[in-house]
């Protein structure tokens, strides 16, 4: 399995970028990508995203999050539940990136949804396409992360053409895409737009 559609090296590169950009402080955040069989690779809990190696990833089952490869000294992050909710409802999503930026927390204070400004960068999320929503959904943070995952799954089932990103309040952004490059472009665009809002735009 490790040699077939193994995204770990590319995820480690993206992890360094996330760390250097201030999107994953203090071992927070998690990065994942689907494997060929529908399972997905995800960063293990408590790993610095700036120093990821192949042993910092686990391959987990989509249906229940069971660890299929990796460990045994590693465990999946609680937020695996959010990644599963996205992969289960967004069939075309192959990668999912989650960070904890200062700007995401500031921009989502008192806003639900967070309405994205229609500046040029919004085009990276398709916001200027006909019918595309402009509101980034905001979910309540909760110690029981599985309950956030259920709320995300319900929202995505009820909204057939969502923006490829969401916010958990006082927590951070999750973005996804049809490839790792796609997910990274979406994540980066959202952080740019949230930084604008946090800056008073
Ligand atoms: Zn998180």
């Amino acid at each position: 399995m490790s040699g077939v559609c193994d995204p770990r090296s590319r995820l480690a590169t993206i992890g360094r970028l996330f760390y250097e950009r201030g999107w994953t402080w203090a071992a927070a955040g998690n990065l994942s990508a689907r494997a060929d069989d529908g399972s997905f690779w995800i960063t293990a809990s408590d790993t610095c995203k700036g120093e990821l190696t192949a042993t910092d990833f686990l391959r987990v089952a989509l249906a229940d999050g069971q660890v299929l490869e990796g460990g045994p000294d590693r465990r999946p992050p609680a937020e695996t539940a959010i990644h599963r909710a996205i992969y289960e409802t967004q069939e075309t999503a192959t990668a999912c990136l989650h960070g904890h930026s200062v700007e995401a927390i500031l921009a989502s204070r008192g806003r639900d949804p967070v309405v994205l400004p229609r500046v040029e960068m919004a085009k990276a999320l398709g916001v200027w396409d006909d019918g595309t929503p402009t509101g980034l959904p905001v979910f309540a943070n909760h110690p029981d992360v599985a309950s956030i995952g259920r709320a995300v799954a319900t929202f995505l089932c009820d909204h057939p053409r969502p923006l490829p990103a969401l916010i958990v309040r006082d927590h951070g952004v999750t973005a996804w895409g049809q490839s790792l490059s796609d997910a990274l472009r979406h994540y980066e665009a959202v952080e740019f737009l949230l930084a604008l809002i946090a800056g008073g735009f």
Side-chain angles (χ1 to χ4, degrees), residues 118-137:
R118 288 180 181 272
V119 296
E120 184 68 18
M121 184 61 77
K123 291 181 181 173
L125 297 164
V127 159
W128 275 344
D129 292 346
D130 287 345
T132 304
T134 59
L136 207 56

Side-chain angles (χ1 to χ4, degrees), residues 28-30 79 98-100 171-172:
N30 21 80
E79 287 137 331
H98 167 63
H100 291 195
H171 183 155

Side-chain angles (χ1 to χ4, degrees), residues 27-30 77-79 82-83 98-100 141 145 148 168 171-174:
N30 21 80
E79 287 137 331
I82 298 174
H83 293 247
H98 167 63
H100 291 195
N141 201 13
V145 182
I148 306 175
V168 178
H171 183 155
V173 171
T174 301

